[in-house]
């Protein structure tokens, strides 16, 4: 019983995951952990049986699957397998698959990973392929480079279907067929440009179907995301750091199985238009739905009197890019509000050093603040502001967001519909 208790203790429970613990947990560090489920205990016993050395579970440090043990039907036989990440003393991380027999989990296959730690795990379904693939990003303490590997489990064995160094990865349904494809950004250097590669299941095996070189100014990737353009096409958006203080965006779509850059008519260049501060907003679908916007510091025309004080949002519709308006963005407190039409030409944002977490928009024609936003922390009384006409609009974590507007009912309704947390 003592041995089982020590083995059980190396599992990190969901409550500890939420608390933000380390990515590797040993037996000795969790002797007093709460009791495990029978399945978890059985998996740990099976892993420990493979070696007399200490077993350390490895926790993915990012993504939606953070547990070191996952239960997934990998081979489409109707029963879930257990997928576990672990390491033995002074070894690279390992991937193991276990099956349940007579009520106990037994180890059926294991393979060494391409790093000392696990960055992320995705479980994907590919067209013309039975079961599911495990898409793993491996990382190592002394290296900034990550290794992307795709594994398939069939006939009791883990097989490596794909592997390459990467810096960012995106799993999404590129062609809306109900199956996953994925894109990733290769690691670049002064001799080799960064590339965006598109991978699908071709001729029964994972293949790079096409690739595109990213802009030569790119120093490193900032973010990679997907969403719908205004014309309905699903796109991959790559935000790129191009200097210590600046970033820009490139947009790609998959057409007839090939990755291609979105080109605009009339000589417009998405990359040039999207140049903005490296601290600025990333591309995203901010106001609900999955229609994406591209931020820019460039106004849609030269007559904007407050140019440079707003973030400007653009959408792509076919070969055209359209302005969706100007926005007030406060990254420090995590919110964005899109301005009603015309406000950007007559108003400017204000922030007062002696009034923390207070933001307003001042209309120069009316000579008054037409929108006020207060961000209240836990413990701050809201009653005094509510009595002044403030309305609670959103809350997240320790912050509550209150607004008050002196404008038309139509503009106020627009503001409430286009206020979003980042």
């Amino acid at each position: 019983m003592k041995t089982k208790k020590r083995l059980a203790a190396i599992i990190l429970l969901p409550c500890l995951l939420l608390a933000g613990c380390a990515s590797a947990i040993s037996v000795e560090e969790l002797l007093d952990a709460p009791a495990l489920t029978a399945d978890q205990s059985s998996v740990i016993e099976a892993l420990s049986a493979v070696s007399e050395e200490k077993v350390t579970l490895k926790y993915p440090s990012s993504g939606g699957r953070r547990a070191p043990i996952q239960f997934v039907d990998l081979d489409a036989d109707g029963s879930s397998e257990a997928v576990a990440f672990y390491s033995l003393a002074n070894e690279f991380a390992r991937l193991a698959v276990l099956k349940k027999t007579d009520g106990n989990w037994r180890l059926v296959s294991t393979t060494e990973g391409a790093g000392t730690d696990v960055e992320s795990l995705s479980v994907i379904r590919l067209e013309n392929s039975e079961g599911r693939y495990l898409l793993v990003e491996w990382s190592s303490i002394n290296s900034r480079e990550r290794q992307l590997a795709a594994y398939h489990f069939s006939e009791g064995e883990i097989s490596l279907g794909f592997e390459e160094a990467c810096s960012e990865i995106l799993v999404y349904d590129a062609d809306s067929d109900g199956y996953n494809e994925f894109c990733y950004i290769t690691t670049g250097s002064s001799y080799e440009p960064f590339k965006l590669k598109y991978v699908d299941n071709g001729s029964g095996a994972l293949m790079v179907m096409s690739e595109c070189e990213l802009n030569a100014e790119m120093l490193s990737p900032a973010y990679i995301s997907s969403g719908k353009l205004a014309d309905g096409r699903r796109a991959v958006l790559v935000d790129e750091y191009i200097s210590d203080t600046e970033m820009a965006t490139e947009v790609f779509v998959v057409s007839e199985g090939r990755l291609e850059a979105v080109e605009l008519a009339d000589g417009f260049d998405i990359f040039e238009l999207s140049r903005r501060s490296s601290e600025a907003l990333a591309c995203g679908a901010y106001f609900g739905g999955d229609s994406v916007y591209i931020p820019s510091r460039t106004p849609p025309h030269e007559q904007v009197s407050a140019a440079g004080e707003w973030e400007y949002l653009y959408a792509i519709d076919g070969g055209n890019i359209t302005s969706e308006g100007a926005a007030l963005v406060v990254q420090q407190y995590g919110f964005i509000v899109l301005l009603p039409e015309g406000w950007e030409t007559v108003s400017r944002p204000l922030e007062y050093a002696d009034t923390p977490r207070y933001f307003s928009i001042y209309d120069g024609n009316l000579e008054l603040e037409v929108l006020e936003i207060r961000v209240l922390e836990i413990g701050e009384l809201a009653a005094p502001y509510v009595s002044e006409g403030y309305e609670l609009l959103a809350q997240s974590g320790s912050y509550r967001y209150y607004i008050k507007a002196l404008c038309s009912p139509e503009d106020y309704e627009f503001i409430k519909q286009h206020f979003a947390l980042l």
Side-chain angles (χ1 to χ4, degrees):
M1 292 300 293
K2 182 178 178 180
T3 301
K4 289 187 177 180
K5 181 179 178 181
R6 291 176 63 85
L7 293 175
I10 66 175
I11 291 289
L12 192 65
L13 295 181
C15 60
L16 295 177
L17 277 173
L18 294 174
C21 57
S23 61
I25 303 296
S26 67
V27 174
E28 288 76 10
E29 292 171 309
L30 284 179
L31 289 179
D32 296 323
L36 304 172
T37 67
D39 279 332
Q40 290 171 330
S41 297
S42 181
V43 168
I44 292 302
E45 290 178 6
L47 288 177
S48 298
V50 303
S51 174
E52 294 182 356
E53 297 177 335
K54 180 179 68 176
V55 173
T56 300
L57 294 181
K58 292 290 186 173
Y59 286 76
S61 59
S62 63
R65 291 178 174 267
R66 300 290 187 96
I69 299 175
Q70 306 273 336
F71 296 96
V72 183
D73 184 3
L74 294 175
D75 53 9
D77 65 353
S79 300
S80 291
E81 285 73 41
V83 176
F85 293 110
Y86 70 102
S87 68
L88 303 175
N90 302 317
E91 286 192 1
F92 272 25
R94 301 186 67 85
L95 167 66
V97 174
L98 302 91
K99 276 187 167 293
K100 198 170 190 179
T101 304
D102 298 327
N104 293 310
W105 291 94
R106 61 180 181 85
L107 181 66
V108 294
S109 185
T110 183
T111 186
E112 186 176 76
T116 58
D117 295 290
V118 184
E119 182 70 23
S120 71
L121 167 68
S122 299
V123 179
I124 61 176
R125 294 179 65 242
L126 300 172
E127 189 175 12
N128 301 320
S129 176
E130 291 188 357
R132 289 169 169 82
Y133 274 82
L134 299 174
L135 198 60
V136 183
E137 284 182 280
W138 302 101
S139 60
S140 295
I141 295 175
N142 298 321
S143 175
R144 296 179 60 185
E145 186 174 283
R146 287 176 280 175
Q147 198 75 9
L148 173 64
Y151 300 93
H152 192 244
F153 179 74
S154 178
E155 298 181 355
E157 292 292 333
I158 300 172
S159 59
L160 178 64
F162 182 87
E163 185 175 17
E164 187 174 2
C166 76
S167 53
E168 295 290 337
I169 179 174
L170 172 70
V171 176
Y172 79 122
D173 184 1
D175 48 14
S176 301
D177 62 355
Y179 295 94
N180 297 122
E181 293 81 34
F182 64 92
C183 290
Y184 66 97
I185 300 174
T186 61
T187 53
S189 68
S190 57
Y191 307 101
E192 182 74 17
F194 288 92
K195 295 179 181 178
L196 179 67
K197 296 189 176 183
Y198 168 68
V199 179
D200 200 356
N201 192 28
S203 302
L206 284 175
M207 299 174 57
V208 175
M209 309 301 289
S210 63
E211 61 183 59
C212 290
E213 285 191 6
L214 296 173
N215 194 284
E217 289 189 55
M218 179 179 176
L219 297 179
S220 65
Y223 310 97
I224 182 171
S225 59
S226 67
K228 282 187 178 180
L229 303 180
D231 55 29
R233 291 180 293 173
R234 294 199 64 85
V236 176
L237 301 99
V238 182
D239 292 322
E240 307 164 8
Y241 291 122
I242 54 179
S243 75
D244 291 340
T245 60
E246 193 176 31
M247 70 177 175
T249 299
E250 294 187 81
V251 183
F252 302 86
V253 294
V254 173
S255 177
E256 297 181 354
R258 296 194 60 80
L259 188 70
E260 57 185 40
V262 172
E263 296 183 355
L264 301 178
D266 300 326
F268 282 103
D269 187 313
I270 296 173
F271 187 85
E272 292 299 324
L273 180 65
S274 64
R275 286 179 181 268
R276 58 199 187 274
S277 165
S278 59
E279 301 296 326
L281 200 61
C283 294
Y286 316 117
F287 310 114
D290 58 358
S291 295
V292 291
Y293 299 90
I294 300 171
S296 173
R297 69 186 178 200
T298 305
H301 50 76
E302 296 179 355
Q303 287 73 35
V304 178
S305 60
E309 296 186 308
W310 309 109
E311 295 259 10
Y312 297 92
L313 304 183
Y314 291 88
I316 295 175
D317 189 351
N320 301 310
I321 190 161
T322 60
S323 170
E324 299 299 307
L328 172 66
V329 178
V330 181
Q331 295 272 36
Q332 182 180 3
Y333 295 106
F335 72 85
I336 177 176
V337 57
L338 188 64
L339 305 185
E341 185 176 357
W343 277 35
E344 72 274 19
T345 63
V346 296
S347 60
R348 67 180 189 274
L350 297 179
E351 186 174 351
Y352 299 94
D354 58 349
T355 308
R357 302 184 307 282
Y358 172 77
F359 309 91
S360 70
I361 295 176
Y362 179 82
D363 188 313
N365 289 347
L366 299 176
E367 297 184 345
L368 57 80
E369 291 173 309
V370 291
L371 179 64
E372 299 175 58
I373 302 171
R374 289 187 180 272
V375 182
L376 303 187
E377 294 181 320
I378 291 177
E380 284 190 89
L381 293 178
Y385 303 112
V386 173
S387 66
E388 293 176 10
Y390 281 85
E391 177 182 355
L392 176 64
L393 199 56
Q395 56 187 27
S396 176
S398 61
Y399 293 133
R400 292 165 293 156
Y401 301 83
Y402 286 81
I403 69 167
K404 181 173 73 172
L406 297 175
C407 60
S408 68
E410 293 78 16
D411 282 352
Y412 187 43
E413 188 62 30
F414 180 90
I415 289 168
K416 291 194 292 184
Q417 291 178 1
H418 294 86
F419 180 96
L421 301 180
L422 300 174

